[in-house]
Amino acid sequence: MSHMKKLLQRNKSQTGKSNKSDKNYTFLDFIFDVLSCIPELIFLPFKLIFWLLRSVGRLIGSVFDFV
């Protein structure tokens, strides 16, 4: 029985360590998050202009279809 108890305690301590390391948010994680957001921030204004021109074009096309 004591052998089984030791195994359970060892497994519990090992999983506890892995859970603690997963919860730490390091500076390197922050850098990777910022670097992954940069392309979206660069392309967002171009996407907005494209959507605006596209919607205006569809509106004009709808007016000509109505006439």
Side-chain angles (χ1 to χ4, degrees):
M1 243 352 190
S2 65
H3 180 65
M4 185 65 140
K5 197 179 227 182
K6 288 179 184 178
L7 282 174
L8 287 174
Q9 286 178 350
R10 189 182 73 194
N11 286 343
K12 193 182 271 189
S13 68
Q14 286 177 350
T15 57
K17 287 179 186 175
S18 66
N19 287 341
K20 287 180 186 176
S21 66
D22 290 341
K23 292 181 183 179
N24 290 340
Y25 190 73
T26 63
F27 183 71
L28 191 61
D29 293 333
F30 172 74
I31 295 295
F32 285 135
D33 286 344
V34 169
L35 289 176
S36 66
C37 290
I38 287 175
E40 287 296 322
L41 293 176
I42 290 172
F43 291 118
L44 182 65
F46 298 111
K47 287 181 181 180
L48 291 174
I49 291 169
F50 173 75
W51 291 334
L52 180 67
L53 293 175
R54 190 169 147 190
S55 62
V56 168
R58 286 186 179 185
L59 181 66
I60 291 172
S62 297
V63 168
F64 285 124
D65 285 341
F66 183 70
V67 172

